[in-house]
């Protein structure tokens, strides 16, 4: 049995290495140049002097600051340059002596030209991420560490598999399904290993996310909402003209990816509950296990659906504030594309969660009470 475990782990390591090699090769893409950045770089810098400030008597900042920067990276590292920092909410920064910033640097006729792009947030961002991961590990222990590994794997798949697939012209919906299946299998394996519980959770999760995107497609057909009705469609059409990206499917692929976490949570929770119930009451039949799963799932439906709806509502809070403040009419609100899209995302994701409950309960009742599967997995796990 020890040899079997060693062989299994060896196969998993080899599979992981091959997958990483595949990702490295798959990401070797010659991207179409959409915006020329020749001669322009973003570099780390430190403010050494505020030459002229833009602080007015009433405490507001108007116009630009003029500062002196010491460049800390790039071709002109350690050179001191004069730069402008705007008072924009999106670009620039309120500079103080010693402050770390990111500078937009270019060269013209031998002269270095710089402007402050933003404050340097790199360390702060990584610090907050580290705190988040540390809390997961401290509270979750080994399971928490496995969750962190699963999260890391998911991020890798989204950045280095999902996005390159879309850029290469693969259907975004198909790409999302592939990534959803891979991340679900790996995440649940890391948490629960190879077991009937894992098989149950994977079956319910995959079915739930597929049902979510199917319902989103039906929703779009009925309401005449397509992937071309999003707010930044002009930029996306430009991308479609210059690349192989199928922008009409991005909206629906996004719904699938967005619903994956909640659906996986429901699937895993029901599978774990059914496994625990069966371990204490092995005399229960398929129908009893199915009813138990449904009872647990019914309690989760409301909270998880609320979570998804509120998450999408929070993402469109600016739009909701505008609607409220400008007192839009009912017929205008209900027929706005932005409102329709938010409703489609929230309802479709919630539909995926809801349908995960019966599918996971049914899969759990079949797999967990199945004598052949139970015996096989128990032998492999021993």
């Amino acid at each position: 049995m020890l040899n079997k475990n060693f062989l299994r782990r060896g196969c998993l390591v080899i599979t992981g290495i091959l997958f990483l090699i595949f990702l490295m090769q798959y990401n070797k893409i010659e991207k179409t140049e959409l915006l020329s950045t020749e001669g322009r770089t973003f570099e780390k810098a430190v403010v050494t002097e505020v030459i002229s400030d833009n602080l007015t008597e009433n405490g507001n900042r108007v116009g630009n600051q003029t500062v002196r920067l010491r460049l800390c990276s790039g071709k002109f590292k350690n050179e001191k340059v004069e730069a402008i920092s705007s008072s924009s909410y999106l670009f620039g920064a309120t500079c103080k002596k010693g402050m770390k910033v990111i500078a937009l640097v270019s060269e013209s006729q031998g002269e270095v030209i710089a402007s402050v792009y933003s404050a340097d947030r790199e360390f702060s961002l990584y610090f907050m991420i580290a705190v988040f991961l540390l809390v997961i590990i401290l509270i979750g222990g080994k399971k928490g560490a496995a969750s962190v590994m699963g999260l890391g794997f998911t991020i890798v798949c989204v950045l280095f598999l999902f996005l390159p697939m879309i850029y290469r012209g693969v259907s975004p919906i198909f790409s999302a399904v592939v990534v959803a299946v891979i991340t679900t299998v790996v995440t649940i394996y890391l948490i629960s290993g190879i077991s009937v519980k894992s098989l149950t959770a994977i079956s319910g999760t995959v079915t739930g996310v597929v049902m979510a995107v199917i319902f989103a497609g039906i929703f779009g057909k009925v309401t005449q909402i397509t992937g071309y009705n999003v707010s930044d469609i002009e930029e996306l059409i430009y991308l479609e003209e210059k690349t192989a990206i199928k922008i009409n499917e991005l909206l629906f692929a996004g719904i699938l990816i967005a619903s994956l976490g909640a659906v996986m949570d429901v699937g895993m929770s029901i599978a774990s509950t059914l496994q625990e119930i069966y371990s204490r009451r092995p005399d229960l039949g398929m129908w009893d296990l199915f009813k138990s799963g449904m009872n647990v799932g019914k309690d989760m439906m409301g909270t998880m659906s609320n979570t998804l709806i509120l998450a999408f509502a929070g993402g469109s809070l600016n739009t909701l504030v505008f609607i409220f403040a400008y007192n839009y009419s009912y017929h205008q609100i209900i027929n706005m594309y932005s409102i329709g899209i938010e409703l489609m995302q929230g309802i479709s994701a919630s539909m995926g969660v809801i349908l995960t409950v019966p599918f996971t309960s049914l899969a759990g009742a079949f797999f967990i009470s199945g004598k052949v599967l139970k015996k096989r997995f128990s032998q492999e796990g021993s």
Side-chain angles (χ1 to χ4, degrees):
M1 194 58 63
L2 182 62
N3 290 335
K4 283 187 177 181
N5 290 333
F6 181 79
L7 181 61
R8 180 192 300 165
R9 290 173 182 172
C11 290
L12 290 173
V13 170
I14 293 173
T15 302
I17 293 173
L18 292 176
F19 184 67
L20 289 176
I21 293 173
F22 165 75
L23 290 182
M24 292 173 62
Q25 295 298 319
Y26 196 68
N27 279 267
K28 292 180 179 179
I29 305 173
E30 291 187 9
K31 295 184 179 179
T32 303
E33 186 177 14
L34 301 172
L35 180 66
S36 177
T37 57
E38 185 177 356
R40 186 184 68 168
T41 59
F42 291 88
E43 307 294 349
K44 289 178 174 290
V46 175
V47 178
T48 58
E49 179 186 359
V50 177
I51 299 173
S52 64
D53 208 350
N54 59 351
L55 185 65
T56 61
E57 293 181 357
N58 60 10
N60 295 325
R61 292 188 176 275
V62 179
N64 301 321
Q65 283 181 309
T66 303
V67 299
R68 193 174 306 280
L69 304 176
R70 177 172 59 83
L71 300 178
C72 301
S73 66
K75 177 181 177 181
F76 304 103
K77 183 177 180 180
N78 292 324
E79 287 194 23
K80 291 186 176 182
V81 297
E82 190 173 299
I84 290 175
S85 178
S86 71
S87 57
S88 166
Y89 289 108
L90 298 178
F91 303 102
T94 302
C95 295
K96 298 178 181 179
K97 185 177 180 180
M99 180 178 176
K100 295 181 179 180
V101 297
I102 299 298
L104 177 57
V105 181
S106 58
E107 184 179 10
S108 177
Q109 298 178 350
E111 182 181 358
V112 180
I113 302 173
S115 62
V116 176
Y117 174 72
S118 71
D120 187 352
R121 304 183 184 91
E122 183 179 11
F123 176 79
S124 301
L125 290 174
Y126 284 127
F127 174 75
M128 296 307 298
I129 293 171
V131 170
F132 166 68
L133 298 179
L134 183 61
V135 170
I136 293 178
I137 294 173
L138 289 177
I139 295 178
K142 290 183 179 180
K143 295 285 186 180
S147 299
V148 170
M149 293 175 62
L151 176 61
F153 181 81
T154 300
I155 293 173
V156 167
C157 283
V158 170
L159 296 180
F160 301 106
L161 180 60
F162 180 56
L163 295 180
M165 287 178 73
I166 292 175
Y167 191 87
R168 288 174 177 269
V170 180
S171 164
I173 294 176
F174 175 77
S175 303
V177 171
V178 170
V179 169
V181 171
I182 293 175
T183 55
T184 298
V185 171
V186 172
T187 301
I188 292 178
Y189 168 76
L190 289 172
I191 295 173
S192 297
I194 299 176
S195 63
V196 177
K197 179 173 69 175
S198 298
L199 182 60
T200 300
I202 290 169
S203 301
T205 300
V206 172
T207 304
V209 293
V210 171
M211 294 306 297
V213 77
I214 290 175
F215 186 81
I218 296 172
F219 195 114
K221 287 287 185 182
V222 172
T223 59
Q224 299 181 30
I225 294 175
T226 71
Y228 290 100
N229 300 130
V230 294
S231 58
D232 48 358
I233 186 59
E234 288 81 7
E235 292 84 354
L236 289 172
I237 288 177
Y238 178 71
L239 280 180
E240 188 175 47
E241 292 173 349
K242 298 294 183 180
T243 66
I245 299 174
K246 297 179 174 63
I247 66 167
N248 61 311
E249 296 184 15
L250 290 178
L251 175 62
F252 303 99
I255 292 173
L256 193 155
I257 294 296
S259 65
L260 177 59
V263 172
M264 191 186 303
D265 183 23
V266 172
M268 191 65 196
S269 298
I270 294 176
S272 297
T273 302
L274 292 181
Q275 181 66 61
E276 184 66 20
I277 291 173
Y278 191 77
S279 66
R280 296 179 181 275
R281 289 287 307 277
D283 58 308
L284 292 177
M286 287 181 58
W287 177 245
D288 292 322
L289 282 176
F290 175 75
K291 288 193 296 183
S292 298
M294 289 297 296
N295 289 334
V296 172
K298 288 174 184 177
D299 291 335
M300 301 180 67
M301 283 182 188
T303 55
M304 292 306 299
S305 295
N306 272 340
T307 299
L308 290 168
I309 294 293
L310 291 174
F312 286 115
S316 60
L317 187 58
N318 293 345
T319 302
L320 296 178
V321 169
F322 275 119
I323 289 172
F324 184 81
Y326 284 93
N327 198 27
Y328 287 12
S329 69
Y330 166 77
H331 288 108
Q332 181 182 5
I333 296 171
I334 201 66
N335 290 289
M336 289 173 62
Y337 278 121
S338 57
I339 295 299
I341 289 172
E342 293 300 331
L343 286 173
M344 179 172 67
Q345 291 174 328
I347 293 174
S348 299
S350 297
M351 184 65 76
V353 168
I354 293 169
L355 293 178
T356 298
V357 172
F359 281 117
T360 307
S361 300
L362 185 62
F366 178 76
F367 292 137
I368 293 174
S369 65
K371 303 300 182 182
V372 176
L373 277 174
K374 189 169 83 71
K375 183 179 179 181
R376 180 177 178 182
F377 278 109
S378 62
Q379 288 177 346
E380 288 184 356
S382 62

